[in-house]
């Protein structure tokens, strides 16, 4: 079973890692929004920008760097973004899919990621996606 954790960029630009909480309305002195916290939870949490939140895939690149949803990965000379497929409840990279079922034929993304390099994410390195066909 893969570890469930998230990454999000705070209002001040720093990255935070841990558990994700979304407050749909103000709670005491805490304003609504997305928060990343450690195991202690609120109030020990960081307010993060919701568009930057990404879940850990449970996989690491060839340098053992953790791969998160929305990361930009270089594999065999091409750049891909790690995305989430809601219908299949799995992460995918181009036409390769990682499902929670490790026996699936489509589990190949695990080896793809382990042979690739994470180049960054679109929030710190938007130039990596320039010229990419966004459909």
């Amino acid at each position: 079973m893969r570890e469930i954790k998230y990454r999000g960029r705070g209002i001040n630009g720093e990255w935070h890692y841990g558990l994700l909480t979304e407050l749909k309305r103000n709670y005491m002195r805490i304003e609504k929004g997305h928060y990343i916290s450690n195991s202690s939870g609120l109030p020990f949490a960081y307010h993060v920008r919701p568009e930057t939140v990404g879940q850990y895939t449970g996989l690491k690149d060839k340098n053992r760097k953790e791969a998160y949803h929305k990361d930009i990965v270089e594999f065999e000379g091409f750049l891909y973004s790690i995305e989430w497929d809601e219908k299949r409840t799995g992460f995918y990279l181009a036409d390769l899919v990682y499902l929670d079922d490790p026996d699936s034929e489509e589990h190949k993304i695990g080896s793809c990621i382990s042979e690739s390099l994470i180049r960054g994410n679109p929030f710190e390195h938007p130039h990596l996606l320039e010229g990419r066909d966004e459909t």
Side-chain angles (χ1 to χ4, degrees):
M1 188 157 159
R2 73 181 159 86
E3 179 181 12
I4 304 296
K5 67 179 176 179
Y6 294 83
R7 171 186 72 189
R9 195 169 191 184
I11 306 304
N12 60 3
E14 292 182 34
W15 288 98
H16 304 285
Y17 300 82
L19 306 174
L20 176 66
T21 301
E22 180 184 357
L23 294 179
K24 301 225 185 246
R25 62 177 207 254
N26 293 346
Y27 178 75
M28 298 174 85
R29 295 183 187 173
I30 304 168
E31 66 182 78
K32 69 180 180 177
H34 291 74
Y35 292 84
I36 300 280
S37 66
N38 58 25
S39 59
S40 299
L42 291 172
F44 304 105
Y46 301 94
H47 194 190
V48 296
R49 296 180 176 140
E51 67 275 10
T52 67
V53 172
Q55 186 176 2
Y56 176 47
T57 64
L59 303 170
K60 297 179 181 178
D61 75 357
K62 67 181 181 181
N63 291 333
R64 307 292 300 148
K65 184 175 181 179
E66 294 179 341
Y68 285 82
H69 175 230
K70 302 179 186 174
D71 275 346
I72 301 166
V73 175
E74 183 177 350
F75 180 66
E76 295 186 350
F78 296 96
L79 294 178
Y80 300 99
S81 178
I82 298 174
E83 299 296 335
W84 174 259
D85 184 337
E86 189 66 39
K87 291 185 283 187
R88 299 173 113 173
T89 63
F91 293 97
Y92 68 92
L93 176 66
D95 296 318
L96 304 174
V97 178
Y98 169 79
L99 299 176
D100 290 331
D101 175 10
D103 298 324
S104 168
E105 183 62 31
E106 297 170 299
H107 187 254
K108 295 175 186 168
I109 192 172
S111 62
C112 291
I113 296 284
S114 66
E115 296 169 8
S116 68
L117 284 172
I118 296 170
R119 293 296 184 195
N121 59 65
F123 313 106
E124 290 180 304
H125 308 284
H127 65 281
L128 291 174
L129 294 178
E130 288 177 7
R132 221 178 108 183
D133 183 21
E134 298 289 329
T135 54

